[in-house]
Amino acid sequence: QVQLVESGGGLVQAGGSLRLSCAASGLTFSTGVMAWFRQAPGKEREFVARILGSGTITYYAYSVKGRFTISGDNAKNTVYLQMNSLKVEDTAVYYCAAGWLSTDNMSSYNYWGQGTLVTVSS
């Protein structure tokens, strides 16, 4: 049984930082693709970042490039999203996802976490 459990969300002021974690069980993410998506109130879920199992190839949405960093720890089967220079518009529920295709398309991901709320105040 595959489980993805996110943690690390919370309330932060604009300009601040947060680090999200996604602990995976029941799969070895080093052989697939792990991604972060987010969904703001009233908006569709959108791609944020993904990392290939090797950990050497990453992709980012334009809106977060240069501010967010995705990384992975194969030994802990955990993926992280370091978020710096946070903006009010980064407020959303952040979801971890796992799959085997390197894509921005959320429908291609097979497993999802329950989400963790990030609120950025002005």
Side-chain angles (χ1 to χ4, degrees):
Q1 181 181 359
V2 175
Q3 273 195 318
L4 302 177
V5 180
E6 301 102 331
S7 61
L11 174 64
V12 64
Q13 284 193 325
S17 299
L18 278 177
R19 188 177 82 154
L20 305 183
S21 299
C22 173
S25 60
L27 62 81
T28 304
F29 86 85
S30 61
T31 61
V33 180
M34 296 292 290
W36 288 95
F37 288 78
R38 67 186 181 185
Q39 188 165 16
K43 294 188 176 181
E44 293 187 351
R45 195 170 298 188
E46 64 176 7
F47 167 76
V48 175
R50 69 180 182 273
I51 184 168
L52 275 57
S54 64
T56 59
I57 300 176
T58 57
Y59 299 89
Y60 297 91
Y62 179 80
S63 59
V64 307
K65 199 167 186 178
R67 300 188 298 121
F68 290 12
T69 302
I70 188 170
S71 62
D73 185 333
N74 287 351
K76 295 183 179 180
N77 228 24
T78 298
V79 174
Y80 304 97
L81 185 68
Q82 177 67 44
M83 305 186 294
N84 298 329
S85 302
L86 282 161
K87 304 176 181 180
V88 172
E89 51 264 41
D90 293 319
T91 295
V93 177
Y94 283 72
Y95 296 91
C96 177
W100 288 273
L101 291 178
S102 180
T103 175
D104 296 357
N105 189 340
M106 61 178 284
S107 64
S108 296
Y109 288 83
N110 304 84
Y111 306 103
W112 291 85
Q114 81 288 351
T116 185
L117 177 62
V118 172
T119 304
V120 185
S121 64
S122 58

